[in-house]
Amino acid sequence: MTTLRIVLLILHFIGLAAILGPALGQLTAKVKSIPMVMVWGARAQLLTGLGLVAVAEYRATQVDDFEVDHVKIAVKLVLALAIVGLAEATRKRDNPVVPFWLVTGLTTANIIVAVAWR
């Protein structure tokens, strides 16, 4: 299970980079859009996040002093679904109604929840 958790975590970080990397590139672009790499990054974040929760739930059944914070997971899931939904809805559009910075901001909020919520 430890190996699976590490692989999922690495893929989760790659998905994060796929969202934030192009977002930084969009800062200087004349035509703002959400590239497909951001969409795939959002999808990867959602799927690997669900996998990480499944591994954590399994660990919670095996270790007595470990518990999963379901409220934190719910907040992160809502943010991740919003990110995926916005990215999917605005892909392949130049100057989309939902600007790329909203996807970037929600991704940053999800990072803050992951790191600061204890």
Side-chain angles (χ1 to χ4, degrees):
M1 273 302 156
T2 301
T3 304
L4 177 60
R5 186 183 72 76
I6 291 169
V7 168
L8 285 171
L9 193 58
I10 290 168
L11 292 173
H12 200 64
F13 287 144
I14 291 171
L16 176 63
I19 296 172
L20 291 182
L24 294 175
Q26 288 289 319
L27 293 175
T28 59
K30 290 181 183 177
V31 177
K32 307 292 187 195
S33 65
I34 295 180
M36 280 305 293
V37 71
M38 285 180 77
V39 177
W40 280 104
R43 292 171 182 165
Q45 285 273 281
L46 180 62
L47 293 176
T48 57
L50 291 173
L52 287 166
V53 170
V55 170
E57 286 288 349
Y58 176 77
R59 181 176 175 216
T61 64
Q62 303 299 314
V63 179
D64 288 335
D65 64 342
F66 181 77
E67 227 177 276
V68 177
D69 187 347
H70 295 289
V71 176
K72 176 181 177 179
I73 298 303
V75 170
K76 288 184 59 55
L77 179 61
V78 167
L79 286 168
L81 288 172
I83 293 164
V84 171
L86 290 171
E88 290 283 354
T90 58
R91 66 186 172 127
K92 296 183 182 177
R93 293 186 186 168
D94 291 338
N95 293 321
V97 174
V98 177
F100 79 96
W101 55 263
L102 184 55
V103 173
T104 306
L106 288 172
T107 301
T108 304
N110 215 353
I111 294 167
I112 292 168
V113 169
V115 174
W117 188 322
R118 294 284 171 197

